[in-house]
Amino acid sequence: MADSVGVIERLWRYPIKSTGGERLRSVAVDERGLVGDRLYAVRDGEGRFGSGKNPRRFGGWTACSS
């Protein structure tokens, strides 16, 4: 039997980059990571992507949950 390295306490997925995530009971994993994680992103009217690093540019959208 392999040695235990740790315990997974919670699973979270963030389907829309830089927004609140969703807590999961289980999730499939593929070569990209968690299935459905960060599939979408938000852009402003000029085509710039939203980022949690600069939330003022996009108003309160980073407070939204997936």
Side-chain angles (χ1 to χ4, degrees):
M1 187 170 154
D3 292 334
S4 177
V5 195
V7 175
I8 297 173
E9 185 176 315
R10 293 187 183 116
L11 295 170
W12 285 83
R13 174 174 58 190
Y14 299 84
I16 304 171
K17 183 181 180 310
S18 298
T19 64
E22 57 186 349
R23 189 170 175 182
L24 306 170
R25 290 179 174 252
S26 64
V27 64
V29 178
D30 65 14
E31 61 277 353
R32 286 189 62 242
L34 301 181
V35 172
D37 191 44
R38 292 180 177 90
L39 289 178
Y40 304 98
V42 176
R43 289 196 208 193
D44 67 8
E46 297 173 9
R48 294 179 296 187
F49 286 103
S51 169
K53 295 177 185 172
N54 192 359
R56 285 178 281 166
R57 186 170 73 196
F58 287 86
W61 71 272
T62 55
C64 298
S65 293
S66 300

